[in-house]
Amino acid sequence: MNLEPQSTEPPEKEPWTIKRLLDWTAEHFEKRDTDNPRLRAEVLLAEALDCPRIELYTQFATVPSGDSLKNFRSWVKRHAAGEPVAYLVGSKEFYSLKFSVDTNVLIPRPETEHVIIEAIEAVKSLGLSVPRIADVGTGSGCIAVTLATQLPASQICAIDLSRAALDVAQRNANDHNVGANIQIIESDLFAEVPDQQFDLVVSNPPYIGTAEQNTVADSVRDFEPHVALFAGQEGMDVIRRLVASSVERLSENGYLIVEISPFILERCQALIRETSGLEWVKLVNDYSGHARVLVARRVMG
Ligand SMILES: C[S@@+](CC[C@H](N)C(=O)[O-])C[C@H]1O[C@@H](n2cnc3c(N)ncnc32)[C@H](O)[C@@H]1O
């Protein structure tokens, strides 16, 4: 890859304006089969220039230089080689909020927003004034922090077995001014969580089976933390333990809301059916029509 103006035409004839940088980079990414190549180019350039993305459009004729251009070129090269944009720029938008990310946490995905939508609906249906929520496998904290911003009276335990991930979650909680709502707990599921009941257990656990490892994009497998992705041969190792331990922790009528994939849907349905104390409520499809979130409910007796 070469972004040097000299490589094509003399710079004085055709300078590397913002418009030209974006056009060239989007085309470069497109050749590598990435989706949304233009958006990726814009996110990288906006971050390199430290300006909102929309501002690029009002500055089309500007010719960037110095460190910002150097950073941009280096990011373009690294992204073309597979490194995710979010790790390069250190952040990702989720539910219209900006979350810090690094390679210790999964990059928040739009599908996970369905967990938020279902959790808010569950809190409404329970008529709770102070919802007690456990977010198991919090990673960047995108679920816990978003719920705290949407449900300001909530008390949330954000749990993860990765200390490094919890540091990112804490930073995000502070940045969004919801640190007081969120207790950060380093724990394997509920093992280290003080004995208490929750109205909601929400989770986006690792659910990719080693059998489907080859279906995972290289940029995901090579850069995102494997503890956030893989869960045994069938992808069920964490979910099985999560379902069993959630029964103990949910209050009567409390909701279990878990992100899943179509690969494990049938096994999850069977698991909920055979778990005494839980009843199946519904399955939610994501924006692409894939099975994505299961909702179950704690029933007594
Ligand atoms: C798929 S990521 C989800 C991160 C974040 N909640 C999101 O939706 O983007 C799963 C997270 O679960 C954590 N995790 C995996 N096994 C766990 C366990 N047994 N107990 C607690 N956390 C676990 C991983 O460290 C990772 O941060």
Side-chain angles (χ1 to χ4, degrees):
M1 197 229 26
N2 186 3
L3 274 177
E4 293 302 324
Q6 294 86 338
S7 67
T8 49
E9 286 173 63
E12 57 278 11
K13 269 199 182 163
E14 203 178 338
W16 283 91
T17 59
I18 283 183
K19 179 176 186 320
R20 191 166 167 229
L21 283 170
L22 286 177
D23 291 346
W24 187 94
T25 308
E27 206 185 311
H28 184 59
F29 290 161
E30 198 165 12
K31 282 188 206 136
R32 276 156 179 76
D33 244 3
T34 41
D35 56 345
N36 298 319
R38 177 79 183 189
L39 176 66
R40 289 161 190 259
E42 288 178 6
V43 170
L44 289 176
L45 189 54
E47 187 66 26
L49 298 176
D50 196 20
C51 72
R53 195 156 58 84
I54 191 78
E55 238 171 62
L56 298 175
Y57 283 83
T58 61
Q59 306 279 336
F60 260 0
T62 303
V63 180
S65 61
D67 280 351
S68 41
L69 185 59
K70 217 166 109 193
N71 283 344
F72 177 66
R73 285 180 173 154
S74 136
W75 286 346
V76 169
K77 203 181 276 184
R78 285 165 64 183
H79 182 53
E83 214 164 327
V85 168
Y87 289 148
L88 292 170
V89 301
S91 65
K92 174 75 185 180
E93 195 176 293
F94 177 80
Y95 212 81
S96 301
L97 299 170
K98 189 174 177 179
F99 283 87
S100 291
V101 294
D102 64 24
T103 51
N104 294 300
V105 300
L106 189 92
I107 298 167
R109 305 294 207 272
E111 304 88 272
T112 306
E113 293 180 353
H114 291 287
V115 172
I116 305 292
I117 294 165
E118 293 309 313
I120 293 171
E121 193 181 309
V123 167
K124 272 194 202 143
S125 80
L126 290 170
L128 301 166
S129 50
V130 183
R132 300 161 301 169
I133 302 172
D135 172 22
V136 184
T138 198
S140 64
C142 62
I143 296 176
V145 170
T146 303
L147 287 178
T149 64
Q150 301 300 306
L151 305 164
S154 56
Q155 294 173 350
I156 303 178
C157 284
I159 301 159
D160 207 292
L161 45 65
S162 159
R163 183 68 250 170
L166 290 171
D167 290 342
V168 177
Q170 183 70 69
R171 192 177 339 137
N172 282 317
N174 297 344
D175 288 349
H176 290 288
N177 298 314
V178 291
N181 299 70
I182 297 178
Q183 193 187 356
I184 298 279
I185 303 178
E186 185 177 344
S187 175
D188 174 8
L189 303 179
F190 290 99
E192 308 300 325
V193 179
D195 197 12
Q196 68 182 97
Q197 298 294 107
F198 296 96
D199 305 302
L200 260 64
V201 173
V202 295
S203 183
N204 174 15
Y207 54 67
I208 302 172
T210 41
E212 9 144 6
Q213 233 171 358
N214 291 341
T215 64
V216 177
D218 290 351
S219 63
V220 175
R221 201 182 38 240
D222 294 348
F223 290 96
E224 302 206 48
H226 284 198
V227 66
L229 299 170
F230 301 110
Q233 179 71 16
E234 294 184 332
M236 290 294 291
D237 284 13
V238 178
I239 288 185
R240 276 191 204 291
R241 293 172 53 231
L242 171 69
V243 168
S245 52
S246 295
V247 177
E248 312 295 315
R249 293 299 189 128
L250 278 168
S251 54
E252 187 167 6
N253 296 324
Y255 284 90
L256 173 65
I257 299 172
V258 183
E259 179 170 327
I260 61 166
S261 80
F263 284 102
I264 57 168
L265 172 61
E266 279 177 23
R267 284 190 281 268
C268 287
Q269 283 172 320
L271 176 64
I272 300 294
R273 258 199 317 271
E274 72 204 20
T275 302
S276 116
L278 282 181
E279 86 181 0
W280 180 269
V281 176
K282 66 172 165 175
L283 173 72
V284 180
N285 288 344
D286 63 22
Y287 304 117
S288 315
H290 298 128
R292 191 55 65 193
V293 174
L294 74 77
V295 181
R297 197 162 193 191
R298 178 79 172 99
V299 284
M300 299 294 180

